[in-house]
Amino acid sequence: MYNIVIVRYGEIAIKGKNKPVFEKKLLGNIKNALKPLGNINVYRKHGRILIDVEGHDHEAIIEEAKKVFGVFSLSPAIQLEKDFQKLKEKCLELLSEKVEFEDVCTFKVDSKRTDKSFPLKSPEISREIGAYLLKALSDSVGVDVNNPDVKVYAEVREDSYICFTEKVMGFGGMPLGTNGKALVLLSGGIDSPVAAWMIAKRGVEVEAIHYHSYPFTNERSLEKVKDLARILSKYCGPVKFYSVNLLPVQKMINEHCPPEELTIIARRFMMKIAERVARLKGCNALVTGESIGQVASQTINGLEVTDGAVEIPVFRPLIALDKIEIISISEKIGTYETSIIPEEDCCTVFLPKHPVTRPRLDRIEKSESVLPVEELIENAIATMEVEVIGYE
């Protein structure tokens, strides 16, 4: 039935002179997302993007395209030649399908006329099509202009007519690759994958760095995080994944620093190493999954001390969200079930009984001064493993 999918975008529409740059990037991202489904024509027209779906599974196309950041909504639609009678017939075909397979009792016609040479104005088009539909289906449906079960959309354009009934919501945001690149500190928990997804939604390309404490943590723990990166790649494209063994750093901190400061100092080392990797790999910022007050190291004091370890910008998309909100997003994007698999991570190694919750930067820096900081950072990066993880 359907021969096109209409793709609408949100924020891009209000861009100024550089709007074509964002449109071109979004178009390319959609094409890349649809490559596994075959040779599908994607093009710009009428201030939106159209996808030719004739001969393809339109539902599969929508399922993939709606994951592309920058896509606000999509509609499977029928595009036909400029024949008003055929437009009415196609609208009837769409509404009849809704009546047959869904619990639809009322409808409304919503029309748009961009072809000003057409003799009827938009409200008149709606009345004309609505009367035709009501006459054909009077035993099954009625009209409700305020709260209809379904809306039938009809468009009268200069080169063709279009009709549809569905609007499938996308994630919105900005096209991936339009706002620089960031390095995400990715753990096996619930929060950091959501943070990565949220920053990517703003058009930021993401790479990921993960810290483990092998052999204190096992290989299953590392594979779990790689699985999370694989899920994220459905939205973000292939993810460059850096794996760093933090155990030598943790041992050194445990031997020479106050036990209550172990967590915050280890966190500062994570940031220092991540900053060094980010600079080497051309990333413009770090991204973490911290939410204020969630754990001891995420108090305002703790975050101040953590940020004091680096000069690079640090983004925290989850900073004001509570755990329920974060879990809800993780369920929506498909990372939750993997995140809750119980595996040890580096943060549980040498975990102090009473971690400091109000650390002072001067005291932490004094404790760190006894450590060979530069040597530890260089050794961690020298033994770092790198791979590119994509969705299979």
Side-chain angles (χ1 to χ4, degrees), residues 201-278:
K201 182 182 171 183
R202 299 306 306 159
V204 179
E205 291 184 54
V206 296
E207 297 185 355
I209 185 168
H210 172 69
Y211 298 96
H212 62 85
S213 300
Y214 187 80
F216 284 35
T217 55
N218 57 43
E219 291 185 5
R220 292 192 307 274
S221 175
L222 180 58
E223 287 304 315
K224 171 188 170 180
V225 183
K226 290 181 181 180
D227 287 341
L228 289 170
R230 195 166 288 111
I231 295 169
L232 288 172
S233 72
K234 291 192 294 183
Y235 307 96
C236 310
V239 176
K240 189 170 284 187
F241 185 87
Y242 307 100
S243 169
V244 176
N245 192 337
L246 197 66
L247 186 58
V249 174
Q250 290 174 299
K251 285 182 174 180
M252 188 69 72
I253 297 170
N254 189 54
E255 291 174 9
H256 298 285
C257 298
E260 67 274 9
E261 295 177 354
L262 191 152
T263 300
I264 193 72
I265 294 176
R267 186 68 180 172
R268 282 169 57 85
F269 267 94
M270 291 182 193
M271 300 295 281
K272 289 174 185 286
I273 295 167
E275 179 182 41
R276 191 71 58 87
V277 173

Coordinates of all heavy atoms in Angstrom, one line a residue, residues 201-278:
K201 N 22.7 12.1 21.2 CA 21.4 12.7 20.7 C 21.6 14.2 20.4 O 20.8 14.7 19.6 CB 20.3 12.5 21.8 CG 19.0 13.0 21.4 CD 18.0 12.8 22.6 CE 16.6 13.5 22.2 NZ 15.7 13.4 23.4
R202 N 22.5 14.8 21.0 CA 22.8 16.2 20.7 C 23.8 16.4 19.5 O 24.3 17.5 19.3 CB 23.3 16.9 21.9 CG 22.4 16.9 23.1 CD 21.0 17.5 22.7 NE 21.1 18.8 22.1 CZ 20.1 19.3 21.4 NH1 19.0 18.6 21.1 NH2 20.2 20.5 20.9
G203 N 24.0 15.3 18.8 CA 24.9 15.4 17.6 C 26.3 15.1 17.8 O 27.1 15.3 16.9
V204 N 26.7 14.7 19.1 CA 28.1 14.5 19.4 C 28.5 13.0 19.1 O 27.8 12.1 19.6 CB 28.3 14.8 20.9 CG1 29.8 14.5 21.3 CG2 27.9 16.2 21.2
E205 N 29.5 12.9 18.3 CA 30.1 11.5 18.1 C 30.7 11.0 19.4 O 31.3 11.8 20.1 CB 31.1 11.5 17.0 CG 30.6 11.8 15.6 CD 31.7 11.7 14.6 OE1 32.4 10.6 14.5 OE2 31.8 12.6 13.8
V206 N 30.6 9.8 19.7 CA 31.1 9.3 21.0 C 32.1 8.1 20.8 O 32.0 7.3 19.9 CB 30.0 8.8 21.9 CG1 29.1 9.9 22.3 CG2 29.2 7.7 21.3
E207 N 33.2 8.2 21.6 CA 34.1 7.1 21.8 C 34.0 6.7 23.2 O 33.5 7.5 24.1 CB 35.5 7.5 21.3 CG 35.6 7.8 19.9 CD 37.0 8.1 19.4 OE1 37.9 8.1 20.2 OE2 37.2 8.2 18.1
A208 N 34.5 5.5 23.6 CA 34.3 5.1 25.0 C 35.6 4.6 25.6 O 36.4 3.9 24.9 CB 33.2 3.9 25.0
I209 N 35.8 4.9 26.9 CA 36.9 4.4 27.6 C 36.4 3.6 28.8 O 35.5 4.1 29.5 CB 37.9 5.5 28.0 CG1 39.1 4.9 28.7 CG2 37.2 6.5 28.9 CD1 40.3 5.9 28.9
H210 N 36.9 2.4 29.0 CA 36.4 1.6 30.1 C 37.6 1.2 31.0 O 38.6 0.8 30.5 CB 35.7 0.4 29.6 CG 35.3 -0.6 30.7 ND1 34.4 -0.4 31.7 CD2 35.8 -1.9 31.0 CE1 34.3 -1.4 32.5 NE2 35.2 -2.3 32.1
Y211 N 37.4 1.2 32.3 CA 38.4 0.8 33.3 C 38.0 -0.5 33.9 O 36.9 -0.7 34.4 CB 38.6 1.9 34.3 CG 39.1 3.2 33.8 CD1 38.1 4.2 33.5 CD2 40.4 3.5 33.5 CE1 38.6 5.5 33.0 CE2 40.8 4.7 33.0 CZ 39.9 5.7 32.8 OH 40.3 6.9 32.2
H212 N 39.0 -1.4 33.9 CA 38.8 -2.7 34.6 C 39.9 -2.9 35.5 O 40.9 -2.2 35.5 CB 38.7 -3.8 33.6 CG 39.9 -4.1 32.8 ND1 40.9 -4.8 33.2 CD2 40.2 -3.6 31.5 CE1 41.9 -4.8 32.2 NE2 41.5 -4.0 31.2
S213 N 39.8 -4.0 36.4 CA 40.9 -4.3 37.3 C 41.3 -5.7 37.2 O 41.3 -6.5 38.2 CB 40.4 -4.0 38.8 OG 40.1 -2.6 38.9
Y214 N 41.5 -6.2 36.0 CA 41.8 -7.6 35.8 C 43.2 -7.9 36.4 O 44.1 -7.1 36.3 CB 41.9 -7.9 34.3 CG 42.1 -9.3 33.9 CD1 41.1 -10.2 33.9 CD2 43.4 -9.8 33.6 CE1 41.3 -11.5 33.6 CE2 43.6 -11.1 33.3 CZ 42.6 -12.0 33.3 OH 42.8 -13.3 33.1
P215 N 43.4 -9.0 37.2 CA 42.5 -10.2 37.3 C 41.5 -10.1 38.4 O 40.8 -11.0 38.7 CB 43.4 -11.3 37.5 CG 44.5 -10.7 38.3 CD 44.7 -9.3 37.7
F216 N 41.4 -8.9 39.2 CA 40.5 -8.8 40.2 C 39.0 -8.8 39.7 O 38.1 -9.2 40.4 CB 40.8 -7.6 41.1 CG 41.9 -7.7 42.0 CD1 43.0 -8.5 41.7 CD2 41.9 -7.1 43.2 CE1 44.1 -8.6 42.5 CE2 43.0 -7.2 44.1 CZ 44.1 -7.9 43.7
T217 N 38.9 -8.2 38.5 CA 37.6 -8.3 37.8 C 37.8 -9.3 36.6 O 38.9 -9.4 36.1 CB 37.1 -7.0 37.3 OG1 38.2 -6.4 36.4 CG2 36.8 -6.0 38.4
N218 N 36.8 -10.0 36.2 CA 36.9 -11.1 35.2 C 36.6 -10.6 33.8 O 36.1 -9.4 33.6 CB 36.1 -12.3 35.6 CG 34.6 -11.9 35.7 OD1 34.1 -11.2 34.9 ND2 34.0 -12.5 36.7
E219 N 36.9 -11.4 32.8 CA 36.6 -11.1 31.5 C 35.2 -10.9 31.1 O 34.8 -10.2 30.2 CB 37.3 -12.1 30.5 CG 38.8 -12.1 30.6 CD 39.4 -13.1 29.6 OE1 38.6 -13.7 28.8 OE2 40.6 -13.3 29.6
R220 N 34.3 -11.6 31.9 CA 32.9 -11.4 31.7 C 32.4 -10.0 31.9 O 31.5 -9.5 31.2 CB 32.1 -12.4 32.6 CG 32.2 -13.9 32.2 CD 31.2 -14.7 32.9 NE 31.2 -14.4 34.4 CZ 32.0 -15.1 35.3 NH1 32.8 -15.9 34.8 NH2 31.9 -14.8 36.6
S221 N 33.0 -9.4 32.9 CA 32.7 -8.0 33.2 C 33.1 -7.1 32.0 O 32.3 -6.2 31.7 CB 33.5 -7.5 34.5 OG 33.3 -6.2 34.7
L222 N 34.2 -7.3 31.4 CA 34.6 -6.5 30.3 C 33.7 -6.8 29.1 O 33.3 -5.8 28.3 CB 36.1 -6.8 29.9 CG 36.7 -6.1 28.7 CD1 36.6 -4.6 28.9 CD2 38.1 -6.6 28.4
E223 N 33.3 -8.0 28.9 CA 32.4 -8.4 27.7 C 31.1 -7.7 27.9 O 30.4 -7.3 26.9 CB 32.3 -9.9 27.6 CG 33.5 -10.6 27.1 CD 34.0 -10.0 25.7 OE1 33.1 -9.8 24.8 OE2 35.2 -9.8 25.5
K224 N 30.6 -7.6 29.1 CA 29.3 -7.0 29.4 C 29.4 -5.5 28.9 O 28.4 -5.0 28.3 CB 29.0 -7.0 30.9 CG 27.8 -6.2 31.3 CD 27.7 -6.2 32.9 CE 26.7 -5.2 33.3 NZ 26.6 -5.1 34.8
V225 N 30.5 -4.8 29.2 CA 30.6 -3.4 28.8 C 30.7 -3.3 27.3 O 30.1 -2.4 26.7 CB 31.8 -2.7 29.5 CG1 31.8 -1.2 29.1 CG2 31.7 -2.9 31.0
K226 N 31.3 -4.2 26.7 CA 31.4 -4.3 25.2 C 30.0 -4.5 24.6 O 29.7 -3.9 23.6 CB 32.4 -5.3 24.7 CG 33.8 -5.0 25.0 CD 34.8 -6.1 24.5 CE 36.2 -5.8 24.8 NZ 37.1 -6.8 24.3
D227 N 29.2 -5.3 25.3 CA 27.8 -5.5 24.8 C 27.0 -4.2 24.9 O 26.2 -3.9 24.1 CB 27.1 -6.6 25.7 CG 27.6 -8.0 25.4 OD1 28.2 -8.2 24.3 OD2 27.4 -8.9 26.2
L228 N 27.3 -3.4 26.0 CA 26.6 -2.1 26.1 C 27.0 -1.2 25.0 O 26.2 -0.5 24.4 CB 26.9 -1.5 27.5 CG 26.2 -2.2 28.7 CD1 26.8 -1.6 30.0 CD2 24.7 -2.0 28.6
A229 N 28.3 -1.2 24.7 CA 28.8 -0.4 23.5 C 28.2 -0.8 22.2 O 27.9 0.0 21.4 CB 30.3 -0.5 23.5
R230 N 28.0 -2.1 22.1 CA 27.4 -2.7 20.9 C 25.9 -2.2 20.8 O 25.5 -1.8 19.7 CB 27.4 -4.2 20.9 CG 27.2 -4.9 19.6 CD 27.6 -6.4 19.7 NE 29.0 -6.5 19.7 CZ 29.7 -6.9 20.8 NH1 29.1 -7.3 21.9 NH2 31.0 -7.0 20.7
I231 N 25.2 -2.2 21.9 CA 23.8 -1.6 21.8 C 23.8 -0.2 21.5 O 23.0 0.3 20.7 CB 23.1 -1.9 23.2 CG1 23.0 -3.4 23.5 CG2 21.7 -1.2 23.2 CD1 22.5 -3.7 24.9
L232 N 24.7 0.6 22.1 CA 24.8 2.0 21.8 C 25.1 2.3 20.3 O 24.7 3.3 19.7 CB 25.9 2.7 22.7 CG 25.5 2.8 24.1 CD1 26.7 3.3 24.9 CD2 24.4 3.8 24.3
S233 N 25.9 1.4 19.7 CA 26.3 1.6 18.3 C 25.1 1.6 17.3 O 25.1 2.0 16.2 CB 27.3 0.5 17.9 OG 26.7 -0.8 17.7
K234 N 23.9 1.0 17.8 CA 22.7 1.1 17.0 C 22.3 2.5 16.8 O 21.7 2.8 15.7 CB 21.6 0.3 17.7 CG 21.8 -1.2 17.7 CD 20.5 -1.9 18.1 CE 20.1 -1.6 19.5 NZ 18.9 -2.3 20.0
Y235 N 22.6 3.4 17.7 CA 22.2 4.8 17.7 C 23.4 5.7 17.3 O 23.2 6.7 16.6 CB 21.7 5.2 19.0 CG 20.6 4.4 19.6 CD1 20.9 3.4 20.5 CD2 19.3 4.6 19.2 CE1 19.9 2.6 21.0 CE2 18.3 3.8 19.8 CZ 18.6 2.8 20.7 OH 17.5 2.1 21.2
C236 N 24.6 5.3 17.7 CA 25.8 6.1 17.6 C 26.7 5.7 16.5 O 27.7 6.4 16.2 CB 26.6 6.2 18.9 SG 25.6 6.5 20.4
G237 N 26.4 4.6 15.8 CA 27.4 4.1 14.8 C 28.5 3.3 15.5 O 28.5 3.3 16.8
P238 N 29.4 2.8 14.8 CA 30.5 2.0 15.4 C 31.3 2.8 16.5 O 31.6 4.0 16.3 CB 31.5 1.7 14.3 CG 30.5 1.7 13.1 CD 29.5 2.8 13.3
V239 N 31.5 2.2 17.7 CA 32.1 2.9 18.8 C 33.5 2.5 19.0 O 33.8 1.3 19.1 CB 31.3 2.6 20.1 CG1 32.0 3.3 21.3 CG2 29.9 3.1 20.0
K240 N 34.5 3.4 19.0 CA 35.9 3.1 19.3 C 36.0 2.9 20.8 O 35.6 3.8 21.6 CB 36.8 4.2 18.8 CG 38.3 3.8 18.9 CD 39.2 4.8 18.2 CE 39.1 4.7 16.7 NZ 40.1 5.5 16.0
F241 N 36.4 1.8 21.2 CA 36.4 1.3 22.6 C 37.8 1.2 23.1 O 38.6 0.3 22.6 CB 35.6 0.0 22.7 CG 35.4 -0.5 24.1 CD1 34.2 -0.1 24.8 CD2 36.2 -1.4 24.6 CE1 34.0 -0.6 26.0 CE2 36.0 -1.9 25.9 CZ 34.9 -1.5 26.6
Y242 N 38.1 1.9 24.2 CA 39.4 1.9 24.8 C 39.3 1.2 26.2 O 38.5 1.6 27.0 CB 40.0 3.3 25.0 CG 40.0 4.1 23.8 CD1 39.0 5.1 23.6 CD2 41.0 4.0 22.9 CE1 39.1 5.8 22.4 CE2 41.1 4.7 21.7 CZ 40.1 5.7 21.5 OH 40.1 6.4 20.4
S243 N 40.1 0.1 26.4 CA 40.1 -0.7 27.6 C 41.3 -0.5 28.4 O 42.4 -0.7 27.9 CB 39.9 -2.1 27.2 OG 40.1 -3.0 28.3
V244 N 41.2 0.0 29.6 CA 42.4 0.4 30.5 C 42.3 -0.4 31.8 O 41.3 -0.4 32.5 CB 42.4 1.9 30.8 CG1 43.5 2.2 31.7 CG2 42.4 2.7 29.5
N245 N 43.5 -1.0 32.1 CA 43.6 -1.7 33.4 C 44.0 -0.7 34.5 O 45.1 -0.2 34.5 CB 44.6 -2.9 33.3 CG 44.5 -3.8 34.5 OD1 44.0 -3.4 35.6 ND2 45.0 -5.0 34.3
L246 N 43.1 -0.5 35.4 CA 43.3 0.5 36.5 C 44.0 -0.1 37.7 O 44.3 0.6 38.6 CB 42.0 1.2 36.8 CG 42.1 2.5 37.6 CD1 42.7 3.6 36.8 CD2 40.7 2.9 38.1
L247 N 44.1 -1.4 37.7 CA 44.6 -2.1 38.9 C 46.0 -1.6 39.5 O 46.1 -1.3 40.7 CB 44.7 -3.6 38.7 CG 45.0 -4.4 40.0 CD1 44.0 -4.2 41.1 CD2 45.1 -5.9 39.6
P248 N 47.0 -1.3 38.6 CA 48.2 -0.8 39.2 C 48.0 0.6 39.8 O 48.7 0.8 40.9 CB 49.1 -0.7 37.9 CG 48.6 -1.7 37.0 CD 47.1 -1.7 37.2
V249 N 47.2 1.4 39.3 CA 46.9 2.7 39.9 C 46.2 2.5 41.3 O 46.6 3.1 42.3 CB 46.0 3.5 39.0 CG1 45.6 4.8 39.7 CG2 46.7 3.8 37.7
Q250 N 45.2 1.6 41.3 CA 44.5 1.3 42.6 C 45.4 0.8 43.6 O 45.3 1.1 44.8 CB 43.3 0.4 42.3 CG 42.2 1.0 41.4 CD 41.1 0.0 41.0 OE1 41.4 -1.0 40.4 NE2 39.9 0.2 41.5
K251 N 46.3 -0.1 43.3 CA 47.2 -0.7 44.2 C 48.1 0.4 44.8 O 48.4 0.4 46.0 CB 48.1 -1.8 43.6 CG 47.3 -3.1 43.3 CD 48.3 -4.1 42.7 CE 47.6 -5.5 42.6 NZ 48.5 -6.5 42.0
M252 N 48.6 1.3 44.0 CA 49.5 2.3 44.5 C 48.7 3.3 45.4 O 49.2 3.7 46.4 CB 50.0 3.1 43.2 CG 51.1 4.1 43.6 SD 52.6 3.4 44.1 CE 53.2 2.7 42.6
I253 N 47.5 3.6 45.1 CA 46.7 4.5 45.9 C 46.4 3.8 47.3 O 46.5 4.4 48.3 CB 45.3 4.8 45.2 CG1 45.6 5.6 43.9 CG2 44.4 5.7 46.2 CD1 44.3 5.8 43.1
N254 N 46.1 2.5 47.2 CA 45.8 1.8 48.4 C 47.0 1.7 49.3 O 46.8 1.7 50.6 CB 45.3 0.3 48.0 CG 44.8 -0.4 49.2 OD1 43.9 0.0 49.9 ND2 45.3 -1.6 49.4
E255 N 48.2 1.7 48.8 CA 49.4 1.6 49.6 C 49.8 2.9 50.2 O 50.4 2.9 51.3 CB 50.5 1.0 48.8 CG 50.4 -0.4 48.4 CD 51.4 -0.9 47.4 OE1 52.4 -0.1 47.2 OE2 51.3 -2.0 46.8
H256 N 49.5 4.0 49.5 CA 50.1 5.3 49.9 C 49.1 6.4 50.3 O 49.6 7.4 50.8 CB 51.0 5.8 48.8 CG 52.1 4.9 48.4 ND1 53.3 4.8 49.2 CD2 52.3 4.1 47.4 CE1 54.1 3.9 48.7 NE2 53.5 3.5 47.6
C257 N 47.8 6.2 50.1 CA 46.9 7.2 50.4 C 45.9 6.8 51.5 O 45.7 5.6 51.7 CB 46.1 7.6 49.2 SG 47.2 8.2 47.8
P258 N 45.3 7.8 52.2 CA 44.3 7.5 53.2 C 43.1 6.6 52.6 O 42.6 6.9 51.5 CB 43.7 8.8 53.7 CG 44.9 9.8 53.3 CD 45.5 9.2 52.1
P259 N 42.7 5.6 53.3 CA 41.7 4.7 52.7 C 40.4 5.3 52.4 O 39.8 5.0 51.4 CB 41.5 3.6 53.8 CG 42.0 4.2 55.1 CD 43.1 5.1 54.7
E260 N 40.0 6.3 53.2 CA 38.7 7.0 52.9 C 38.7 7.8 51.6 O 37.7 8.2 51.0 CB 38.2 7.9 54.0 CG 39.1 9.1 54.3 CD 40.3 8.8 55.2 OE1 40.6 7.6 55.5 OE2 41.0 9.8 55.6
E261 N 40.0 8.1 51.1 CA 40.1 8.9 49.9 C 40.4 8.0 48.6 O 40.5 8.6 47.5 CB 41.3 9.9 50.0 CG 41.1 10.9 51.1 CD 42.3 11.8 51.3 OE1 43.3 11.6 50.7 OE2 42.1 12.8 52.1
L262 N 40.4 6.7 48.8 CA 40.7 5.8 47.7 C 39.8 6.0 46.5 O 40.2 6.2 45.3 CB 40.7 4.4 48.1 CG 41.3 3.3 47.2 CD1 41.8 2.2 48.0 CD2 40.3 2.9 46.2
T263 N 38.5 6.1 46.7 CA 37.5 6.2 45.6 C 37.7 7.5 44.9 O 37.7 7.5 43.6 CB 36.1 6.1 46.2 OG1 35.9 4.8 46.8 CG2 35.1 6.2 45.0
I264 N 37.8 8.6 45.6 CA 37.8 9.9 44.9 C 39.2 10.1 44.1 O 39.2 10.6 43.0 CB 37.6 11.0 45.9 CG1 37.3 12.4 45.1 CG2 38.8 11.2 46.9 CD1 36.0 12.4 44.4
I265 N 40.3 9.5 44.7 CA 41.6 9.7 44.0 C 41.6 8.8 42.8 O 42.1 9.2 41.7 CB 42.7 9.3 45.0 CG1 42.8 10.4 46.1 CG2 44.0 9.2 44.2 CD1 43.9 10.1 47.1
A266 N 41.0 7.6 42.9 CA 40.9 6.7 41.8 C 40.1 7.3 40.7 O 40.4 7.2 39.5 CB 40.3 5.3 42.2
R267 N 39.0 8.0 41.1 CA 38.2 8.7 40.1 C 38.9 9.8 39.4 O 38.8 10.0 38.2 CB 36.9 9.2 40.8 CG 35.9 9.8 39.9 CD 35.2 8.8 39.1 NE 34.2 9.4 38.2 CZ 33.6 8.7 37.3 NH1 33.9 7.4 37.0 NH2 32.7 9.3 36.5
R268 N 39.8 10.5 40.1 CA 40.6 11.5 39.5 C 41.6 11.0 38.5 O 41.8 11.6 37.4 CB 41.3 12.3 40.6 CG 40.4 13.4 41.3 CD 41.1 13.9 42.6 NE 42.4 14.5 42.2 CZ 42.6 15.8 41.8 NH1 41.5 16.6 41.7 NH2 43.8 16.3 41.6
F269 N 42.1 9.8 38.8 CA 43.0 9.2 37.9 C 42.3 8.7 36.6 O 42.8 8.8 35.5 CB 43.7 7.9 38.5 CG 45.0 8.3 39.1 CD1 45.2 8.6 40.4 CD2 46.2 8.3 38.3 CE1 46.4 8.9 41.0 CE2 47.4 8.6 38.8 CZ 47.5 8.9 40.2
M270 N 41.0 8.2 36.8 CA 40.2 7.9 35.6 C 40.1 9.1 34.7 O 40.2 9.0 33.5 CB 38.9 7.4 36.0 CG 38.8 6.0 36.7 SD 37.1 5.6 37.1 CE 37.4 4.2 38.2
M271 N 39.8 10.3 35.3 CA 39.6 11.5 34.5 C 40.9 11.9 33.9 O 40.9 12.3 32.7 CB 39.1 12.6 35.5 CG 37.7 12.3 36.1 SD 36.4 12.2 35.0 CE 36.0 13.9 34.7
K272 N 42.0 11.8 34.6 CA 43.3 12.2 34.0 C 43.7 11.4 32.8 O 44.1 11.9 31.8 CB 44.4 12.1 35.1 CG 44.3 13.2 36.2 CD 45.4 12.8 37.3 CE 45.3 13.8 38.5 NZ 45.8 15.1 38.2
I273 N 43.5 10.0 33.0 CA 43.8 9.1 31.9 C 42.9 9.4 30.7 O 43.3 9.4 29.5 CB 43.7 7.7 32.3 CG1 44.8 7.4 33.4 CG2 43.8 6.7 31.2 CD1 44.5 6.1 34.2
A274 N 41.6 9.6 31.0 CA 40.6 9.8 29.9 C 40.9 11.1 29.2 O 40.8 11.2 28.0 CB 39.2 9.9 30.5
E275 N 41.3 12.2 29.9 CA 41.7 13.4 29.3 C 42.8 13.2 28.4 O 42.8 13.8 27.2 CB 42.0 14.5 30.4 CG 42.4 15.8 29.7 CD 42.8 16.9 30.8 OE1 43.5 16.5 31.8 OE2 42.4 18.0 30.6
R276 N 43.8 12.5 28.8 CA 45.0 12.3 28.0 C 44.6 11.5 26.7 O 45.1 11.9 25.6 CB 46.1 11.5 28.7 CG 47.4 11.4 28.1 CD 48.2 12.7 28.1 NE 48.3 13.2 29.5 CZ 49.4 12.8 30.3 NH1 50.3 12.0 29.9 NH2 49.4 13.3 31.5
V277 N 43.8 10.5 26.8 CA 43.3 9.7 25.6 C 42.5 10.6 24.7 O 42.6 10.6 23.5 CB 42.5 8.5 26.1 CG1 41.9 7.8 24.9 CG2 43.4 7.5 26.9
A278 N 41.6 11.4 25.3 CA 40.8 12.3 24.5 C 41.6 13.3 23.7 O 41.3 13.5 22.5 CB 39.8 13.1 25.5

